[in-house]
Amino acid sequence: MRIVLMGPPGAGKGTQAVSLANQLGIAHISTGDIFRSNVSDKTELGLLAKKYMDAGEYVPDSVTNEMVKHRLAEPDVQHGFLLDGYPRTVAQVAELDVILSKLGAQVDLVIELTVDIDEVVKRLVQRSLQQGRSDDSEEVIRRRLEVYQEQTAPLLAAYRARGVLKSVSGMGEIEQVRERLAQLVAS
Ligand code: AMP
C-alpha cells in the first residue's frame, strides 16, 4: 500500500505516521526527518535545508524531489510506503506521479489529518519547549501554517478529485487518533 499522510504542521503526522507504517509493515518516509538528520550530520544538504527550515519555509522542490527520488529507489519501499510530509507542493505531486509511474504504481490513499488551528499552535509551542526545535518559535510557527495554507492545502482538492482522499480528525488523544487511522486503513 502506498499512502500519503497530510495535515498542517502540528497535526500529529509524525507520531501517527510511525505507528500506522508499523501496523501496515510498510516503510515510513518523513522528509522532515531526513532533512533533520542531514542538519545534525552537517551535510551539504543539511546546511542548505536548515536555512529554509529555520525560517518556516519549504526547502526548494528541486532539492526535495531529488532526495525523495533516491529514497524511493531503496529496496524497503517495494512493499509500500507511508509518505509523511511529502508531497507539499504542486511540483512535488507531479514528481511523485512520475516516480511512481516508472514503477507502474500510484498513490493508493491520501489521508488528511484535520485539526483546529488553535490546537495546532498550542501543540507546536509545547513541542518547541520539549524538543527545542529551532523551527518552532512562535513567529516561525505562524509562517509554517501560512505556507501550508498557501502551498499544501490546495493539493487536497487534487487528491480528492482523484478519489483517493480520506479525512480523519487529528483531535483528541494520540491513542484515539491512532485507532481512527487503524480503522480507516482496515476498511
Ligand atoms: P516536518 O517535520 O515535516 O514538519 O518538516 C520540517 C521542515 O522540513 C519543513 O518546515 C520544511 O522546511 C522542510 N520540509 C519537510 N518536507 C518538505 C517538503 N516535502 N518540501 C519542502 N520542505 C520540506
Side-chain angles (χ1 to χ4, degrees):
M1 200 165 195
R2 296 177 186 86
I3 303 177
V4 169
L5 186 61
M6 290 181 66
K13 283 194 305 294
T15 310
Q16 297 298 339
V18 170
S19 36
L20 191 57
N22 272 341
Q23 181 198 338
L24 295 170
I26 56 179
H28 167 225
I29 303 175
S30 157
T31 42
D33 283 354
I34 302 174
F35 283 133
R36 277 185 289 277
S37 89
N38 275 276
V39 169
S40 56
D41 292 348
K42 296 195 169 58
T43 67
E44 205 176 314
L45 173 65
L47 294 175
L48 185 148
K50 190 174 189 316
K51 287 188 299 193
Y52 295 96
M53 295 168 81
D54 284 352
E57 304 291 337
Y58 287 168
V59 178
D61 285 331
S62 54
V63 175
T64 308
N65 282 339
E66 194 59 24
M67 182 176 91
V68 171
K69 195 163 85 179
H70 281 106
R71 181 63 187 88
L72 289 179
E74 287 177 28
D76 65 325
V77 302
Q78 301 260 329
H79 304 294
F81 54 76
L82 192 156
L83 282 172
D84 161 12
Y86 183 94
R88 269 172 144 113
T89 66
V90 171
Q92 292 179 15
V93 171
E95 177 66 18
L96 180 60
D97 286 343
V98 169
I99 296 170
L100 293 182
S101 73
K102 285 183 184 152
L103 300 169
Q106 59 200 9
V107 172
D108 303 306
L109 175 63
V110 176
I111 305 173
E112 174 198 16
L113 270 184
T114 60
V115 279
D116 148 347
I117 279 311
D118 290 342
E119 178 66 18
V120 155
V121 173
K122 238 193 305 179
R123 280 186 189 180
L124 288 172
V125 170
Q126 211 171 29
R127 187 170 74 186
S128 78
L129 294 173
Q130 285 164 355
Q131 302 179 353
R133 274 178 56 157
S134 56
D135 59 351
D136 272 355
S137 77
E138 203 166 330
E139 189 191 341
V140 174
I141 288 169
R142 235 180 289 120
R143 181 64 193 144
R144 290 171 73 212
L145 288 165
E146 251 171 41
V147 172
Y148 178 83
Q149 288 305 332
E150 285 166 14
Q151 301 199 44
T152 307
L155 309 185
L156 295 167
Y159 281 124
R160 187 175 293 117
R162 292 188 194 184
V164 292
L165 183 74
K166 296 258 172 73
S167 296
V168 169
S169 168
M171 303 299 290
E173 297 301 315
I174 289 177
E175 204 44 56
Q176 291 173 314
V177 180
R178 182 179 294 150
E179 189 51 38
R180 283 177 209 138
L181 288 168
Q183 280 179 10
L184 175 83
V185 296
S187 63

CSV table of all heavy atoms in Angstrom, one decimal, residues 44-80:
chain,number,residue,atom,x,y,z
A,44,GLU,N,26.0,18.7,3.3
A,44,GLU,CA,25.8,19.8,2.3
A,44,GLU,C,24.3,20.1,2.2
A,44,GLU,O,23.8,21.2,2.3
A,44,GLU,CB,26.4,19.5,1.0
A,44,GLU,CG,26.7,20.7,0.1
A,44,GLU,CD,27.4,20.3,-1.2
A,44,GLU,OE1,28.3,19.4,-1.1
A,44,GLU,OE2,26.9,20.8,-2.2
A,45,LEU,N,23.5,19.0,2.1
A,45,LEU,CA,22.1,19.1,2.0
A,45,LEU,C,21.5,19.7,3.3
A,45,LEU,O,20.6,20.5,3.3
A,45,LEU,CB,21.5,17.7,1.8
A,45,LEU,CG,20.0,17.5,1.9
A,45,LEU,CD1,19.3,18.3,0.7
A,45,LEU,CD2,19.5,16.1,1.8
A,46,GLY,N,22.1,19.3,4.4
A,46,GLY,CA,21.6,19.8,5.7
A,46,GLY,C,21.8,21.3,5.9
A,46,GLY,O,21.0,22.0,6.4
A,47,LEU,N,23.0,21.7,5.5
A,47,LEU,CA,23.3,23.1,5.6
A,47,LEU,C,22.4,24.0,4.7
A,47,LEU,O,21.9,25.0,5.1
A,47,LEU,CB,24.8,23.4,5.2
A,47,LEU,CG,25.8,22.8,6.1
A,47,LEU,CD1,27.2,23.0,5.6
A,47,LEU,CD2,25.7,23.4,7.5
A,48,LEU,N,22.1,23.4,3.5
A,48,LEU,CA,21.1,24.1,2.7
A,48,LEU,C,19.7,24.1,3.2
A,48,LEU,O,19.1,25.2,3.3
A,48,LEU,CB,21.2,23.5,1.3
A,48,LEU,CG,20.4,24.1,0.2
A,48,LEU,CD1,21.1,23.9,-1.2
A,48,LEU,CD2,18.9,23.6,0.1
A,49,ALA,N,19.3,23.0,3.7
A,49,ALA,CA,17.9,22.8,4.2
A,49,ALA,C,17.7,23.7,5.4
A,49,ALA,O,16.6,24.3,5.6
A,49,ALA,CB,17.6,21.4,4.5
A,50,LYS,N,18.7,23.8,6.3
A,50,LYS,CA,18.5,24.5,7.6
A,50,LYS,C,18.0,25.9,7.4
A,50,LYS,O,17.1,26.4,8.2
A,50,LYS,CB,19.8,24.4,8.4
A,50,LYS,CG,19.6,24.9,9.8
A,50,LYS,CD,20.9,24.7,10.6
A,50,LYS,CE,20.8,25.0,12.1
A,50,LYS,NZ,20.0,26.1,12.5
A,51,LYS,N,18.6,26.6,6.4
A,51,LYS,CA,18.2,28.0,6.2
A,51,LYS,C,16.7,28.1,6.0
A,51,LYS,O,16.0,29.0,6.5
A,51,LYS,CB,18.8,28.5,4.9
A,51,LYS,CG,20.3,28.8,5.0
A,51,LYS,CD,20.8,29.5,3.8
A,51,LYS,CE,20.7,28.6,2.6
A,51,LYS,NZ,21.3,29.0,1.4
A,52,TYR,N,16.1,27.2,5.2
A,52,TYR,CA,14.7,27.2,4.9
A,52,TYR,C,13.9,26.8,6.1
A,52,TYR,O,12.9,27.4,6.5
A,52,TYR,CB,14.4,26.3,3.7
A,52,TYR,CG,15.0,26.9,2.4
A,52,TYR,CD1,16.2,26.4,2.0
A,52,TYR,CD2,14.4,27.9,1.7
A,52,TYR,CE1,16.9,26.8,0.9
A,52,TYR,CE2,15.0,28.4,0.5
A,52,TYR,CZ,16.3,27.8,0.1
A,52,TYR,OH,16.9,28.3,-1.0
A,53,MET,N,14.3,25.7,6.7
A,53,MET,CA,13.6,25.1,7.9
A,53,MET,C,13.5,26.2,9.0
A,53,MET,O,12.4,26.3,9.6
A,53,MET,CB,14.3,23.9,8.4
A,53,MET,CG,14.2,22.8,7.3
A,53,MET,SD,15.3,21.4,7.8
A,53,MET,CE,14.3,20.5,8.9
A,54,ASP,N,14.6,26.8,9.3
A,54,ASP,CA,14.6,27.8,10.4
A,54,ASP,C,13.7,29.0,10.1
A,54,ASP,O,13.2,29.6,11.1
A,54,ASP,CB,16.0,28.3,10.7
A,54,ASP,CG,16.9,27.2,11.4
A,54,ASP,OD1,16.3,26.2,11.9
A,54,ASP,OD2,18.1,27.4,11.6
A,55,ALA,N,13.4,29.2,8.9
A,55,ALA,CA,12.6,30.4,8.5
A,55,ALA,C,11.1,29.9,8.4
A,55,ALA,O,10.2,30.7,8.1
A,55,ALA,CB,13.1,31.0,7.2
A,56,GLY,N,10.9,28.6,8.5
A,56,GLY,CA,9.5,28.1,8.3
A,56,GLY,C,9.1,28.0,6.8
A,56,GLY,O,7.9,27.9,6.5
A,57,GLU,N,10.1,28.0,5.9
A,57,GLU,CA,9.8,27.9,4.5
A,57,GLU,C,10.1,26.5,4.0
A,57,GLU,O,10.7,25.7,4.7
A,57,GLU,CB,10.7,28.9,3.7
A,57,GLU,CG,10.7,30.3,4.1
A,57,GLU,CD,9.4,31.0,3.8
A,57,GLU,OE1,8.7,30.6,2.9
A,57,GLU,OE2,9.0,32.0,4.5
A,58,TYR,N,9.5,26.2,2.9
A,58,TYR,CA,9.8,24.9,2.3
A,58,TYR,C,11.2,24.9,1.6
A,58,TYR,O,11.6,25.9,1.0
A,58,TYR,CB,8.8,24.6,1.2
A,58,TYR,CG,7.4,24.2,1.8
A,58,TYR,CD1,6.3,24.1,0.9
A,58,TYR,CD2,7.2,23.9,3.1
A,58,TYR,CE1,5.0,23.8,1.4
A,58,TYR,CE2,6.0,23.6,3.6
A,58,TYR,CZ,4.9,23.5,2.8
A,58,TYR,OH,3.7,23.2,3.3
A,59,VAL,N,11.9,23.8,1.7
A,59,VAL,CA,13.1,23.6,1.0
A,59,VAL,C,12.7,23.5,-0.5
A,59,VAL,O,11.7,23.0,-0.8
A,59,VAL,CB,13.8,22.2,1.5
A,59,VAL,CG1,15.0,21.9,0.7
A,59,VAL,CG2,14.0,22.2,3.0
A,60,PRO,N,13.6,24.1,-1.4
A,60,PRO,CA,13.2,24.1,-2.8
A,60,PRO,C,12.8,22.7,-3.4
A,60,PRO,O,13.4,21.7,-3.0
A,60,PRO,CB,14.4,24.7,-3.5
A,60,PRO,CG,15.1,25.5,-2.4
A,60,PRO,CD,14.8,24.7,-1.1
A,61,ASP,N,11.8,22.7,-4.2
A,61,ASP,CA,11.3,21.5,-4.8
A,61,ASP,C,12.4,20.7,-5.5
A,61,ASP,O,12.4,19.4,-5.3
A,61,ASP,CB,10.3,21.8,-5.9
A,61,ASP,CG,8.9,22.3,-5.3
A,61,ASP,OD1,8.6,21.8,-4.2
A,61,ASP,OD2,8.2,23.1,-6.0
A,62,SER,N,13.3,21.3,-6.2
A,62,SER,CA,14.4,20.6,-6.9
A,62,SER,C,15.2,19.7,-5.9
A,62,SER,O,15.4,18.5,-6.2
A,62,SER,CB,15.3,21.5,-7.7
A,62,SER,OG,15.8,22.5,-6.8
A,63,VAL,N,15.5,20.3,-4.8
A,63,VAL,CA,16.3,19.6,-3.7
A,63,VAL,C,15.5,18.5,-3.1
A,63,VAL,O,15.9,17.3,-3.0
A,63,VAL,CB,16.7,20.6,-2.6
A,63,VAL,CG1,17.4,19.9,-1.5
A,63,VAL,CG2,17.5,21.7,-3.2
A,64,THR,N,14.2,18.8,-2.7
A,64,THR,CA,13.4,17.8,-2.0
A,64,THR,C,13.0,16.7,-3.0
A,64,THR,O,13.1,15.5,-2.6
A,64,THR,CB,12.1,18.5,-1.6
A,64,THR,OG1,12.5,19.7,-0.8
A,64,THR,CG2,11.2,17.6,-0.7
A,65,ASN,N,12.7,17.0,-4.2
A,65,ASN,CA,12.3,15.9,-5.2
A,65,ASN,C,13.4,15.0,-5.4
A,65,ASN,O,13.2,13.8,-5.5
A,65,ASN,CB,11.8,16.6,-6.5
A,65,ASN,CG,10.4,17.1,-6.4
A,65,ASN,OD1,9.6,16.7,-5.5
A,65,ASN,ND2,10.1,18.0,-7.3
A,66,GLU,N,14.7,15.5,-5.5
A,66,GLU,CA,15.8,14.7,-5.8
A,66,GLU,C,16.0,13.7,-4.6
A,66,GLU,O,16.3,12.5,-4.8
A,66,GLU,CB,17.0,15.6,-6.0
A,66,GLU,CG,18.3,15.0,-6.6
A,66,GLU,CD,18.1,14.4,-7.9
A,66,GLU,OE1,17.1,14.8,-8.7
A,66,GLU,OE2,18.8,13.4,-8.3
A,67,MET,N,15.9,14.2,-3.4
A,67,MET,CA,16.1,13.4,-2.2
A,67,MET,C,15.0,12.3,-2.2
A,67,MET,O,15.4,11.1,-1.9
A,67,MET,CB,15.9,14.4,-1.0
A,67,MET,CG,16.2,13.8,0.3
A,67,MET,SD,16.1,15.0,1.6
A,67,MET,CE,14.3,15.0,2.0
A,68,VAL,N,13.8,12.6,-2.5
A,68,VAL,CA,12.7,11.6,-2.4
A,68,VAL,C,12.9,10.6,-3.5
A,68,VAL,O,12.7,9.4,-3.3
A,68,VAL,CB,11.3,12.3,-2.5
A,68,VAL,CG1,10.2,11.3,-2.6
A,68,VAL,CG2,11.1,13.2,-1.2
A,69,LYS,N,13.4,11.0,-4.7
A,69,LYS,CA,13.6,10.1,-5.8
A,69,LYS,C,14.6,9.0,-5.3
A,69,LYS,O,14.4,7.8,-5.6
A,69,LYS,CB,14.1,10.9,-7.0
A,69,LYS,CG,14.0,10.1,-8.3
A,69,LYS,CD,14.1,11.0,-9.5
A,69,LYS,CE,15.6,11.2,-9.7
A,69,LYS,NZ,15.8,12.1,-10.9
A,70,HIS,N,15.6,9.4,-4.7
A,70,HIS,CA,16.6,8.5,-4.2
A,70,HIS,C,16.1,7.6,-3.1
A,70,HIS,O,16.3,6.4,-3.1
A,70,HIS,CB,17.9,9.2,-3.7
A,70,HIS,CG,18.8,9.7,-4.8
A,70,HIS,ND1,18.9,11.0,-5.2
A,70,HIS,CD2,19.5,9.0,-5.6
A,70,HIS,CE1,19.7,11.1,-6.2
A,70,HIS,NE2,20.1,9.9,-6.5
A,71,ARG,N,15.3,8.2,-2.2
A,71,ARG,CA,14.7,7.4,-1.1
A,71,ARG,C,13.8,6.3,-1.7
A,71,ARG,O,13.8,5.1,-1.2
A,71,ARG,CB,14.0,8.3,-0.1
A,71,ARG,CG,13.4,7.6,1.1
A,71,ARG,CD,14.5,6.9,1.9
A,71,ARG,NE,13.9,6.1,3.0
A,71,ARG,CZ,13.6,4.8,2.9
A,71,ARG,NH1,13.8,4.2,1.7
A,71,ARG,NH2,13.1,4.1,3.9
A,72,LEU,N,13.0,6.7,-2.7
A,72,LEU,CA,12.0,5.7,-3.2
A,72,LEU,C,12.6,4.7,-4.1
A,72,LEU,O,11.9,3.8,-4.6
A,72,LEU,CB,10.9,6.5,-3.9
A,72,LEU,CG,9.9,7.3,-3.0
A,72,LEU,CD1,8.9,8.0,-3.8
A,72,LEU,CD2,9.3,6.4,-2.0
A,73,ALA,N,13.9,4.8,-4.3
A,73,ALA,CA,14.6,3.8,-5.1
A,73,ALA,C,15.2,2.7,-4.2
A,73,ALA,O,15.7,1.7,-4.7
A,73,ALA,CB,15.7,4.4,-6.0
A,74,GLU,N,15.1,2.9,-2.9
A,74,GLU,CA,15.6,1.9,-2.0
A,74,GLU,C,14.7,0.7,-1.9
A,74,GLU,O,13.5,0.8,-2.1
A,74,GLU,CB,15.9,2.5,-0.6
A,74,GLU,CG,17.1,3.5,-0.7
A,74,GLU,CD,17.4,4.2,0.6
A,74,GLU,OE1,17.0,3.7,1.7
A,74,GLU,OE2,17.9,5.3,0.5
A,75,PRO,N,15.3,-0.5,-1.6
A,75,PRO,CA,14.6,-1.7,-1.7
A,75,PRO,C,13.4,-1.9,-0.6
A,75,PRO,O,12.4,-2.5,-0.9
A,75,PRO,CB,15.6,-2.8,-1.4
A,75,PRO,CG,16.9,-2.2,-1.0
A,75,PRO,CD,16.8,-0.7,-1.4
A,76,ASP,N,13.5,-1.2,0.5
A,76,ASP,CA,12.5,-1.4,1.5
A,76,ASP,C,11.1,-0.8,1.1
A,76,ASP,O,10.1,-1.0,1.8
A,76,ASP,CB,12.9,-0.8,2.9
A,76,ASP,CG,13.1,0.7,2.8
A,76,ASP,OD1,13.5,1.2,1.8
A,76,ASP,OD2,12.8,1.4,3.8
A,77,VAL,N,11.1,0.0,0.0
A,77,VAL,CA,9.8,0.6,-0.3
A,77,VAL,C,9.0,-0.3,-1.3
A,77,VAL,O,7.8,0.0,-1.6
A,77,VAL,CB,9.9,2.0,-0.9
A,77,VAL,CG1,10.6,2.9,0.0
A,77,VAL,CG2,10.6,1.9,-2.3
A,78,GLN,N,9.5,-1.4,-1.6
A,78,GLN,CA,8.9,-2.4,-2.5
A,78,GLN,C,7.5,-2.8,-2.1
A,78,GLN,O,6.6,-3.0,-2.9
A,78,GLN,CB,9.7,-3.7,-2.7
A,78,GLN,CG,11.1,-3.5,-3.2
A,78,GLN,CD,11.2,-3.8,-4.6
A,78,GLN,OE1,10.5,-4.6,-5.1
A,78,GLN,NE2,12.1,-3.1,-5.3
A,79,HIS,N,7.4,-3.0,-0.8
A,79,HIS,CA,6.1,-3.5,-0.3
A,79,HIS,C,5.1,-2.3,0.1
A,79,HIS,O,4.1,-2.6,0.8
A,79,HIS,CB,6.3,-4.4,0.9
A,79,HIS,CG,7.2,-5.5,0.6
A,79,HIS,ND1,6.9,-6.5,-0.3
A,79,HIS,CD2,8.5,-5.8,1.0
A,79,HIS,CE1,7.9,-7.3,-0.4
A,79,HIS,NE2,8.9,-6.9,0.3
A,80,GLY,N,5.5,-1.1,-0.2
A,80,GLY,CA,4.7,0.0,0.1
A,80,GLY,C,5.4,1.0,1.0
A,80,GLY,O,6.5,0.7,1.5
